[in-house]
Amino acid sequence: MLVNRRTALKQVLVVSAGLALLPSCLRKPSPASISLKNIAVDAEGENMLAALADTLIPATSTPGAKDVKAHLFALTMVDDCMKKEDQQKFLTGMKAFSDLCQKKNGHSFEKSSPAERAALLKELEAADASKDDAAAFYRTVKQLTIYGYTTSEYYLTKVQVYELVPGRFHGSVPVKPASKRTA
Amino acid sequence: MANINKGAQDHTFDAIVIGSGISGGWAAKEFTEKGLKTLVLERGRDVKHLKDYPTTNKYPWEFPHRGQIPQAIQEEAPVVSRCYAFKEDAMHFFVKDKEHPYEQDKPFDWIRGYQVGGKSLLWARQTQRWSDFDFEGPARDGFAVDWPVRYADIAPWYSYVEKFVGISGNKDGIPNLPDGEFLPPLEMTAVEEYFKGFVAKNYKDRHVIYGRCAHLTEPQPIHIQQGRVQCQKRNLCQRGCPFGGYFSSNSSTLPWAEKTGNLTLRPFSVVHSIIYDEQKGKATGVRVVDTQTKETTEYYARVIFVNAAAINTNLILLNSTSNRFPNGLGNDSGVLGKYFAFHNYRGRISADYEGMPDLTTEGRSPTSAYIPRFRNVVKQETDFLRGYAAGFSTGRRSWNSHDGFGQTLKDHLFNEEMGNWWVGSHMMGETIPKEISQLTLDKTKKDEWGVPVIHVNLGYDDNDEKMLKDFYEQMTEMYTKAGFTNIRTEDSKQAPGLDIHEMGGARMGKDPKTSILNKWNQMHAVNNVFVTDGACMTSTSTQNPSLTYMALTARAVDYAVSQLKKGEI
């Protein structure tokens, strides 16, 4: 193949420019899977949220929060529907949660064992969210995950069926004894 | 001002109706049915029934924020964001604050729907008649001016519009809330029935009734002809109803008018002012600014109905100046824009009911119970004037525990728990129209269509505060005696306007020296201009006002057409 000098030089330049960029590219975290306008949460943060959602409402014989993408709903709500200061609190809390996990378990929440995850959540359930950033973050994520899960297509078609067109209203009906549902 | 009229002929109609909301839609229907070529001007875009309800069949999970309005929009549009119906599923039917600025001399939340159909797409659909206890209010209690009409004048027109609209209700036989032409009511809840019985037994002049509402519980041939069918109890009315289950201009009056072949509907048309001809002593037409091209066009007609919704109707009249009327069209009395009023919706009271644990409700109800005014009805009995009606609703509380995490939490989310019945009520208080409560035009500021920006100066007074206190006291007593527990009162502290019942400014009256309109909603001073929306109201009473606007409109069109035929206007 005939390669003239000019082209060869150009290619070398392009390659070296690429090489020069490469380390910073590697350092740059990959973005979250949904586009976020206001908060800086990357793929790593998203994965942590997914693991947390999965721990809160796990997949069993029925789908869990992660399966219905409740963690992405939570992220969307924080990004679009929260005040700036609350978004800041959320991000601070997210870091505190991650650090706490690292400190307690020696690795990230995703890499924690089910027992390690449960121990951490148990501690945060008992903590005072008004004084503890990690606990405040946990409460917010829990609330939004539950909200996302219970308004998901799965939940509203298979668990509590939402009727778009009820076609009826009865003002006085006997309370039916509910049989326990398997979650 | 550029006049791009191609020819006066193309721009001449028999009647012009400014506005396509609940009263404008009625004017359009009545004029076109009577054979008049009618131009309806709407400042917003067109919204066609069925076609232009983009969210109507969406499930909750299809809304990215499950209904919540994003923070950025709330911060940019704080006024409309305070409206209960401004949610992700209907936000496209509301005017955002920046889209049409106004001046709040006192806090005032102006909620608007600029599109064909206006706020008739969004209204709460409550339709209670007035009685003579309402029409005689100002004369008896010495405020505003005497209404030039009485119940007997309006009753046949209530019946006329009710049959076409379709009103679900009970014949309750209450003198201060006359019965109408009713389709069957929906069921009240077990607790509403209980409270109704309790109140009837313990208070001789207080009633709890099923709230009359514009829903087709059993459609009649006249409704089927409109293409409307039975209300399916979706309670998603604010999105526009694919069944035409509730009444709106879009589902009912406008398509009806269109079928006559006499309707011309022109969206994107802001009315700048009404043209007054000094020689003829009449209004000859309107100046319209096209919101897309910003060009001004004139349209002409023999009769003009102003139905732009209370504030914009006042704005148009105040901005229609001439040598004859330097202070606004028909404003010889100087009262135009004054004696503006609203409904006091500040008071709320909620409670629990521990009784009837074995009963609950099923399906959804688009309405609730209603407590007609019981204060100062027959005679003055309190230290404040007039009174309040109240909405009353109940339901069985159910929830899922959020305790724990993992399997425990998931079990909770799959298994609902049932609590007590909840009980809730809100007041709808009559406010007194006062001279200082007024709308004025800014002397320099104009909006993007070259129309002066309007100032709203409206507030609560001592009478409103006393009434609020009485609502809490009376309802607390009734709740307590009925065995409701955990009673909580709340003052929403909302600004006037959020009730979306603004009224007055171009009031009806007997005397041209103190009012703008006569008993036919016709201007005293310009006999071919009529105002039949909220601006015409002499006083506010307590009822949701739309039904009265519709009845007044049909009556006024009937009169206007008879006068046109006689050559009187």
Side-chain angles (χ1 to χ4, degrees), chain B residues 437-459:
Chain B
S437 302
Q438 57 177 302
L439 305 168
T440 48
L441 300 187
D442 196 278
K443 292 196 172 58
T444 53
K445 262 189 236 168
K446 290 189 174 174
D447 63 25
E448 63 174 295
W449 311 282
V451 179
V453 165
I454 197 153
H455 286 250
V456 185
N457 187 345
L458 190 62

Side-chain angles (χ1 to χ4, degrees), chain B residues 5-266:
Chain B
N5 285 359
K6 291 194 193 82
Q9 196 94 42
D10 301 345
H11 286 235
T12 302
F13 297 82
D14 296 324
I16 289 174
V17 177
I18 305 170
S20 65
I22 213 154
S23 67
W26 265 96
K29 171 188 173 291
E30 295 301 300
F31 272 128
T32 55
E33 269 190 310
K34 290 175 193 289
L36 276 76
K37 294 285 176 197
T38 305
L39 173 67
V40 173
L41 296 165
E42 166 53 52
R43 65 182 299 151
R45 67 192 167 96
D46 196 6
V47 170
K48 286 260 181 279
H49 184 49
L50 309 180
K51 255 183 30 205
D52 295 322
Y53 303 154
T55 58
T56 192
N57 285 321
K58 285 198 172 179
Y59 282 88
W61 60 84
E62 294 179 83
F63 296 98
H65 310 99
R66 304 293 191 266
Q68 206 170 314
I69 299 289
Q71 186 63 22
I73 297 175
Q74 288 194 42
E75 280 170 15
E76 204 179 81
V79 169
V80 69
S81 294
R82 285 192 280 271
C83 177
Y84 70 98
F86 184 69
K87 294 272 151 56
E88 208 168 20
D89 65 343
M91 56 192 282
H92 49 286
F93 290 145
F94 286 87
V95 174
K96 319 300 175 289
D97 301 14
K98 273 190 181 162
E99 290 167 5
H100 188 193
Y102 64 101
E103 294 290 329
Q104 304 178 44
D105 293 353
K106 287 184 189 136
F108 182 86
D109 289 340
W110 189 12
I111 307 301
R112 294 154 285 175
Y114 289 168
Q115 62 258 331
V116 167
K119 299 192 294 292
S120 78
L121 280 166
L122 301 162
W123 67 315
R125 311 166 308 282
Q126 295 297 304
T127 42
Q128 330 294 340
R129 286 188 181 199
W130 280 40
S131 74
D132 275 337
F133 294 104
D134 307 302
F135 287 114
E136 286 171 1
R140 189 193 81 180
D141 292 344
F143 64 94
V145 290
D146 189 12
W147 275 88
V149 292
R150 287 295 181 266
Y151 180 64
D153 300 309
I154 311 302
W157 294 99
Y158 274 137
S159 290
Y160 179 77
V161 298
E162 281 167 349
K163 284 181 199 160
F164 190 82
V165 168
I167 307 292
S168 157
N170 244 326
K171 290 207 187 272
D172 298 296
I174 299 167
N176 54 313
L177 202 79
D179 292 331
E181 310 291 333
F182 294 146
L183 305 173
L186 294 170
E187 292 173 28
M188 284 166 76
T189 70
V191 173
E192 283 155 17
E193 287 288 359
Y194 157 71
F195 193 54
K196 176 185 172 153
F198 170 82
V199 169
K201 215 163 81 187
N202 292 277
Y203 299 86
K204 67 171 174 33
D205 52 0
R206 299 186 188 185
H207 310 273
V208 179
I209 64 164
Y210 167 81
R212 293 133 188 203
C213 61
H215 283 264
L216 298 181
T217 49
E218 200 178 283
Q220 301 301 302
I222 187 68
H223 307 124
I224 306 293
Q225 283 170 42
Q226 296 169 37
R228 299 169 57 204
V229 296
Q230 191 170 38
C231 166
Q232 296 299 310
K233 290 93 186 171
R234 294 173 4 124
N235 289 13
L236 302 172
C237 312
Q238 69 282 356
R239 300 180 184 180
C241 182
F243 301 96
Y246 75 95
F247 173 88
S248 66
S249 296
N250 311 64
S251 68
S252 179
T253 45
L254 290 175
W256 193 265
E258 200 169 12
K259 272 195 280 188
T260 65
N262 293 323
L263 174 74
T264 304
L265 176 66
R266 193 187 196 287

